[in-house]
Each structure stands twice: as C-alpha cells, then as structure tokens.
Amino acid sequence: MDRREIAALLAYIGRLDPRSIRTAEGEARDQLAQWHELLGDVPMATPHGWDARAAARQHYRASPYQIQPADVVRPWESYRRNRLALHWDPTPSADPDDQAAWTAELVGTRRAVAAGTAQPAQAPAITSRQEEINPRLQARLNQIGSCIPPAVRAALAPFRPARAAREAAVAQGLPDALSVRCEWCLAPVGEPCRRRRIGPNDGVRAITPRATPHPGRLDLAAAQQAQRTEQAQQPALT
C-alpha cells in the first residue's frame, strides 16, 4: 500500500473505532508513517479474495482492543501461505535449457499467486481418455503391452518360475491361483506356495517357494472364477 491507501485504511478503521483517530497533526503524521513502514508490502486488495479492510473489520469482530499493524500483517501472511499451499507449479513455457529463464518463470508465477494477482494452478488430473494419450506413447504401449518388454520378461522367466507360471496361466485364460490364499501351506494372496523341508526329528528345516501352486489352491481359484462368471451372466433384477 502507498501512503494514500494507508490513509484510506486508517480512515476506515477510524469509522470502526474512533479511539484510533489522531486529531493532532503531528500524531496523525507519525501514525501514517508507522503504518506505511509496516504495511508497505501489503496490498489494500487483490482480485482474488484479499482486502485489508476486511481484515480490520474481522479484528474488531473478534477483539475489543485497538488494531495494530500486526493485526493486518498476520492475516495477509496466512492468505499467502494458503494460496501457495494450493498452488501446483505448471511447466514453464521457457526453454528448459535456459535455466535462468526457467527459474525466473517459476518464481514469477509463485510470486503472482502469493500476491493474489493470479489464481493457484491446480494439479493436473489423472485421466485414461484415449484421445489424450500421446500417439507415440500409445504405439509403444501397444507394442510391449507392459512396463516390462516381452524379451526381458522371457529372459527373467527362469529366475522367477512362480511368476512366469502365473502369467502363462492368466494368458491362457486359466484361473489365477495366486489370487486366493492357499489353505494347504497358508501362503497369502499374491505369494507363491511354499514347500517345507522336514528334518530327521520331524522339525521344519527350511521353507522354499514352489514354482507351481498346490492343487487345492488351483481348485479354489477355479471355483471363485466360475462363481464370478456366473454372477456376471445373471440378468440384472428390475
């Protein structure tokens, strides 16, 4: 605020609280100088929700004491923090190789948001709409079908036989055994079945993962898949 805006703010405060009015010329001049020194970087109002007069009015709604410059500065700092918390830095339009221009645009956008002259940029929403996918990216996804290319997946198959067997079963339309808990070895969902090695004294010496699931687990997965298929084929009740 410049000195004229400070004078207007003090006049508004004087209407709310006559105790703040300074009648002597010297006192009025000192009050104006003090408020301008402390509120020089605080705007009178912004296009997006800030108004120093509203802050002064709110002070007198909640407090019986005379207002001080800090009672306007505190809401202003809170306003700045809240806006920056809502802001998501958009990608600058400057050349990324020009580090100075890139940084200057980021800083300028943040300052405009904090000052209330620009609205916070919202985080981009995640979408699955096909028309918004880059054609080159879509072609690549169609080619590999997964984040792991087929050649790499085949090379890794000997080192993770349980996963390879699971992927092969799903590709053939067979039930996914790892989608259910094994009632025999108690392997949880998503983990392969386990083989227990028993020692001479009937104690468990080691537990190693199996490359193939237990037959009972396969039967349970098949039963649940059949149940889901049957439910999906039932006509909806009207």
Side-chain angles (χ1 to χ4, degrees), residues 1 38 55 71 80 83 88 92 115 131 134 143 164 192 209 226 237:
M1 283 183 276
L38 298 175
D71 297 319
R80 286 168 51 89
R83 290 179 61 81
W88 180 277
E131 60 269 22
N134 185 285
Q143 177 185 359
L237 297 178

Side-chain angles (χ1 to χ4, degrees), residues 15-56:
R15 292 197 297 270
L16 298 178
D17 181 11
R19 296 174 300 175
S20 64
I21 299 176
R22 301 293 183 265
T23 55
E25 181 178 351
E27 293 180 355
R29 183 172 58 250
D30 293 342
Q31 183 189 41
L32 179 61
Q34 178 198 28
W35 280 68
H36 182 255
E37 178 70 21
L38 298 175
L39 300 181
D41 58 345
V42 178
M44 172 67 84
T46 68
H48 304 292
W50 165 257
D51 194 318
R53 292 162 297 187

Side-chain angles (χ1 to χ4, degrees), residues 170-221:
V170 173
Q172 297 173 11
L174 300 176
D176 181 10
L178 272 62
S179 64
V180 297
R181 179 175 179 267
C182 182
E183 301 298 334
W184 177 262
C185 66
L186 305 181
V189 175
E191 294 188 9
C193 289
R194 298 171 288 199
R195 179 186 296 108
R196 298 183 181 182
R197 295 182 180 178
I198 307 300
N201 59 350
D202 295 335
V204 178
R205 297 181 57 186
I207 298 178
T208 58
R210 287 169 51 100
T212 57
H214 286 107
R217 194 176 192 180
L218 280 171
D219 294 341
L220 180 60

